[in-house]
Amino acid sequence: MAELVRGGRSCLTLEGAKAILEAACAKAREIGVDMDVAVADDGGHLLAFHRMDGAKLTSVSIAIDKAFTAACTRLPTHKYAEVGGAGGPAFGIHASNQGRFVIFGGGVPILHRGECLGAVGCSSGTPDQDRAVAEAGIAALLARIG
C-alpha cells in the first residue's frame, strides 16, 4: 500500500492527498454539490487540487486559500468569522498575506497526534457544506493512517 504520510516528522504525501481528494469528492457527490477541493502541506503550499466538473470557476482560488489559511494557522477558517469580521478585534486580517487569509468556513487543518499535516480547503457550496466536505476528506485519511 502507498505511503499516506511519511515518518520522522509526519508529512502528508501525494498519495495521502489523493486519498483526501477521493473521499472529499465522494462527500460532495453525496450532498449534491460539485466542489473545488485543495490539499495543502503543513506550510500552506498546494499539494493537490481537484475541480469537480460543475464546481464554480470563481471558487478555485478560494479553496486553495482556505487550505493555506487552515494549514498556516492550524485552525479551521470558520473560527475567524467573528474576530475577523467587521467590528471584530482582528478586522482586516482577511487582507493579510496578499489577501489569501480566509475568514469563513471550508478550510480545515489536518491534525494527527498533535501535529498539523496540512489542510483541506473546499469551495462552491455554503460554508457549512464546504466544511463538511473538507472534514470528510480528512476523516478518510485519518481512518487509514490510524
Side-chain angles (χ1 to χ4, degrees):
M1 179 158 92
E3 192 175 40
L4 302 177
V5 296
R6 59 185 148 87
R9 183 182 70 82
S10 294
C11 182
L12 184 64
T13 65
L14 180 57
E15 290 305 313
K18 288 178 182 178
I20 291 168
L21 291 176
E22 182 179 313
C25 290
K27 179 66 173 180
R29 283 189 294 278
E30 177 187 312
I31 66 171
V33 180
D34 288 342
M35 291 269 175
D36 293 298
V37 182
V39 181
D41 66 15
D42 64 331
H45 303 284
L46 186 63
L47 183 58
F49 179 84
H50 182 79
R51 184 180 159 287
M52 296 175 74
D53 289 339
K56 295 175 183 173
L57 294 173
T58 54
S59 291
V60 171
S61 62
I62 296 169
I64 293 168
D65 290 348
K66 286 179 181 183
F68 165 82
T69 302
C72 292
T73 65
R74 290 10 186 193
L75 290 171
T77 56
H78 72 273
K79 295 282 187 176
Y80 290 96
E82 188 175 325
V83 297
F91 178 68
I93 197 169
H94 63 281
S96 69
N97 295 280
Q98 293 79 44
R100 295 189 67 195
F101 200 101
V102 177
I103 64 168
F104 50 90
V108 182
I110 305 165
L111 303 174
H112 180 254
R113 297 184 181 165
E115 292 185 89
C116 179
L117 303 178
V120 180
C122 296
S123 190
S124 282
T126 66
D128 287 340
Q129 289 171 325
D130 295 348
R131 181 175 163 197
V133 170
E135 288 173 345
I138 293 168
L141 173 73
L142 295 179
R144 290 180 62 182
I145 64 175

